[in-house]
């Protein structure tokens, strides 16, 4: 577990969009300005590590506003979204990689069915 600066509020601990009130605490970090991510983690491709769902005022559903996502194991660029994490037509998180922009490389097992 690594502690990083909260991407959604940029470490300020205050809701960046003043949705409730000017002093509303950040819903992602609870006002501490810091969030924990499980390593190894990479920058969230879908929100470009901003923690904000693109073109909205809500938290990114891929990284939950942290700006970083955990990836376990070796990864390669997602062929579905070309690493952007976004479905081109709909603007929704890529269904293949879930918005991370990378997919876990599975062990290639040679299986023969007789
Ligand atoms: Zn925050
Ligand atoms: Zn994100
Ligand atoms: Zn993808």
């Amino acid at each position: 577990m690594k502690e990083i600066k909260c991407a959604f509020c940029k470490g300020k601990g205050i809701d960046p969009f003043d949705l409730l009130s000017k002093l509303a605490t950040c819903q992602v970090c609870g006002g501490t300005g810091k969030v924990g991510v499980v390593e190894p983690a990479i920058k969230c491709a879908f929100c470009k590590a901003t923690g904000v769902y693109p073109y909205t005022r809500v938290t990114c559903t891929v990284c939950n506003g942290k700006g970083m996502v955990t990836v376990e194991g070796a990864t390669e660029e997602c062929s579905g979204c070309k690493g952007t994490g976004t479905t081109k037509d709909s603007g929704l998180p890529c269904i293949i990689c879930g918005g991370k922009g990378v997919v876990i490389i599975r062990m290639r097992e040679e299986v023969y069915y007789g």
Side-chain angles (χ1 to χ4, degrees):
M1 194 82 139
K2 187 186 174 191
E3 206 170 58
I4 57 166
K5 189 165 82 176
C6 176
F8 192 65
C9 65
K10 297 185 174 61
K12 290 182 180 144
I14 301 167
D15 187 281
F17 299 118
D18 304 336
L19 282 187
L20 300 171
S21 83
K22 280 199 182 312
L23 294 173
T25 51
C26 172
Q27 57 189 306
V28 177
C29 59
T32 61
K34 287 174 184 162
V35 286
V37 289
V38 179
E39 289 194 294
I42 58 163
K43 283 184 179 176
C44 176
F46 184 63
C47 67
K48 297 185 176 58
T50 60
V52 183
Y53 198 103
Y55 311 114
T56 72
R57 295 174 148 211
V58 297
T59 52
C60 172
T61 52
V62 177
C63 61
N64 294 318
K66 295 177 181 179
M68 301 282 284
V69 283
T70 303
V71 286
E72 284 181 61
T75 58
E76 63 184 2
E77 188 181 275
C78 174
S79 57
C81 61
K82 301 274 184 294
T84 61
T86 311
T87 306
K88 211 177 168 190
D89 299 329
S90 64
L92 295 170
C94 173
I95 53 167
I96 297 169
C97 62
K100 294 180 180 181
V102 295
V103 287
I104 310 291
I105 302 168
R106 289 210 183 86
M107 296 291 284
R108 286 175 205 271
E109 285 182 60
E110 307 263 335
V111 181
Y112 295 94
Y113 295 97

